[in-house]
Amino acid sequence: MSRPHHYWMAEALRQARKGLYSTPPNPSVGCVIVFDDALISCGWHGYSGGPHAEVNALLAVEIPAGADIYVTLEPCSHHGRTPPCVDALIDAKPARVIVAMQDPNPQVSGQGLDQLRAQGIDVIVGVLEDAARELNRGFIKRMEQGLPFVSIKMASSLDGRSALKNGSSQWITSAAARRDVQFLRARAAAILTSAQTVLDDDPSLNLRLSKQDLKQIFEVRQPVRVVLDSRLRLSGSEKLFTIPGDIWIYTLSEDPDRHERLAARGATVIQATEDAAGRIDLVALLQDLAQREINDVHSECGQRLAGALIDQQLADQVVLYLAPHLLGSAARGIFDLGELTAMEQRKTCSMRDVRQIGDDLRLTLSID
Ligand code: AOF
Ligand code: ZN
């Protein structure tokens, strides 16, 4: 008896994951070609502008007619930076094409599948779809909603405190947890923080893992550092500016001297939209990031911005590192949500993963 579709799709997903750190803003996609229950070839998408997964798999060997081709994303039907994959697939004369999910890109969305069916090829959709969606959660959200996937990383004491009252927060968690955070940064296209956090902690907010650490063959991308600084309080002498990589500062300030001061330090200063409360409008900010092809935002910020992202239902995930010590009730919390007066006002989350990292506990939660 031949192996089930999910067996081969799991292999295609494994291929796709090889591109996780290098494909953005493109999705990570994997492809395997099977004939007579044997693996003939596999391929994955490596970087934006490079050949797609199917093309890489088809190039590797001569494909016998009548093969089964497994792809983690619907094959593209459009001329983008590369020619349509459906044409290459049709030329290979497969018996069946099995895909995990439809491509949410409006330039494709179902048309690739239709073109395969029109050629008499059997098309099966939805094998291991949840895993495929998780892999490209940022790309999918950007395509479907015009917003990036937002993950908030927090470090807190056992009593839920993220910093002392005076702002001091280095270090709540152990070195092992801080290294683990580097892998979260690697998956993101942008790291989001506030000017307050930069002034309090003077962080670098860069990626310090090498290609080898990440087991990558392509160069490691530095995420863009995005700082919300409504009044342009940063001076330009903070550590952030001494470390290579892009810095985008969103502001409401129109003071030309302050703009110039930060631009002279290499930052891109972007005029943000003001919300009804006179703060930077977070929806407009995230829409702007999506327009700039940011799929995944990793936020490392204080309780105010983290609370606002949750309050406005803009955060998708929280990764909380819980350290085994107590900071006391005068210390700062992790999410400033204002005062709730009824239990029904609670924000609820669902636990996705729990594990111990060094001396700390890492909780990964999706926000309901
Ligand atoms: C596939 N296989 O491996 C990938 C696909 O700019 P391009 O030409 O690289 O096209 C990018 C779009 O193609 C991307 O937005 C998504 O819709 C699709 N990605 N499709 O058939 C692949 N990476
Ligand atoms: Zn393609």
Side-chain angles (χ1 to χ4, degrees), residues 26-27 29 45 52-54 75-76 78 80-82 85 103 105 139:
N26 274 12
V29 182
H45 183 51
H52 286 185
E54 303 89 315
C76 67
H78 70 300
R81 280 165 279 218
T82 65
C85 288
D103 188 345
N105 185 345
F139 173 78

Side-chain angles (χ1 to χ4, degrees), residues 257-274:
D257 293 341
R258 292 178 182 222
H259 274 249
E260 184 43 44
R261 188 174 68 196
L262 297 176
R265 300 290 289 133
T268 303
V269 185
I270 301 166
Q271 210 65 43
T273 310
E274 191 169 341

Side-chain angles (χ1 to χ4, degrees), residues 52-320:
H52 286 185
E54 303 89 315
V55 171
N56 282 331
L58 289 166
L59 276 180
V61 285
E62 184 107 1
I63 308 297
D68 282 342
I69 303 185
Y70 293 83
V71 202
T72 60
L73 184 71
E74 172 186 6
C76 67
S77 52
H78 70 300
H79 283 270
R81 280 165 279 218
T82 65
C85 288
V86 271
D87 294 352
L89 289 186
I90 289 166
D91 286 348
K93 301 191 171 37
R96 296 185 292 190
V97 174
I98 302 96
V99 309
M101 62 174 287
Q102 191 170 309
D103 188 345
N105 185 345
Q107 288 182 290
V108 184
S109 69
Q111 296 177 58
L113 302 175
D114 288 345
Q115 289 180 22
L116 294 170
R117 288 191 190 105
Q119 297 295 320
I121 299 167
D122 256 354
V123 175
I124 299 169
V125 190
V127 177
L128 297 187
E129 176 157 2
D130 287 352
R133 292 188 74 87
E134 154 62 23
L135 190 64
N136 287 313
R137 60 199 186 184
F139 173 78
I140 295 168
K141 193 170 172 203
R142 174 164 71 89
M143 288 292 157
E144 291 182 346
Q145 299 179 39
L147 291 167
F149 183 92
V150 178
S151 177
I152 301 176
K153 170 254 157 183
M154 270 292 167
S156 93
S157 60
L158 206 53
D159 51 350
R161 306 288 161 171
S162 62
L164 297 180
K165 194 176 172 188
N166 64 16
S168 171
S169 66
Q170 284 172 333
W171 298 105
I172 304 258
T173 51
S174 63
R178 298 201 303 277
R179 180 177 157 84
D180 192 65
V181 170
Q182 286 283 321
F183 288 87
L184 304 183
R185 288 185 183 177
R187 207 181 153 174
I191 299 177
L192 175 66
T193 196
S194 67
Q196 190 60 54
T197 296
V198 175
L199 294 171
D200 285 341
D201 297 350
D202 204 18
S204 315
L205 295 175
N206 64 340
L207 179 60
R208 296 187 287 276
L209 296 175
S210 68
K211 231 161 65 162
Q212 287 72 23
D213 293 329
L214 291 164
K215 300 188 173 59
Q216 290 292 290
I217 62 168
F218 296 113
E219 281 313 314
V220 170
R221 293 167 306 116
Q222 273 301 328
V224 181
R225 289 161 291 169
V226 176
V227 186
L228 305 192
D229 187 3
S230 54
R231 287 173 283 147
L232 289 185
R233 290 187 296 149
L234 298 186
S235 69
S237 60
E238 294 79 6
K239 190 155 79 188
L240 198 69
F241 296 94
T242 66
I243 288 160
D246 289 345
I247 302 173
W248 297 349
I249 300 176
Y250 283 82
T251 189
L252 299 175
S253 163
E254 291 177 3
D255 181 331
D257 293 341
R258 292 178 182 222
H259 274 249
E260 184 43 44
R261 188 174 68 196
L262 297 176
R265 300 290 289 133
T268 303
V269 185
I270 301 166
Q271 210 65 43
T273 310
E274 191 169 341
D275 71 7
R279 291 171 307 206
I280 290 175
D281 186 310
L282 296 176
V283 178
L285 162 85
L286 292 173
Q287 285 170 337
D288 192 69
L289 291 175
Q291 291 267 325
R292 293 168 193 264
E293 295 196 311
I294 301 292
N295 291 341
D296 287 88
V297 171
H298 166 85
S299 178
E300 293 192 32
C301 57
Q303 58 176 347
R304 296 258 303 277
L305 179 54
L309 287 168
I310 292 198
D311 203 33
Q312 295 179 43
Q313 293 178 326
L314 294 170
D316 299 282
Q317 172 179 281
V318 169
V319 181
L320 175 63

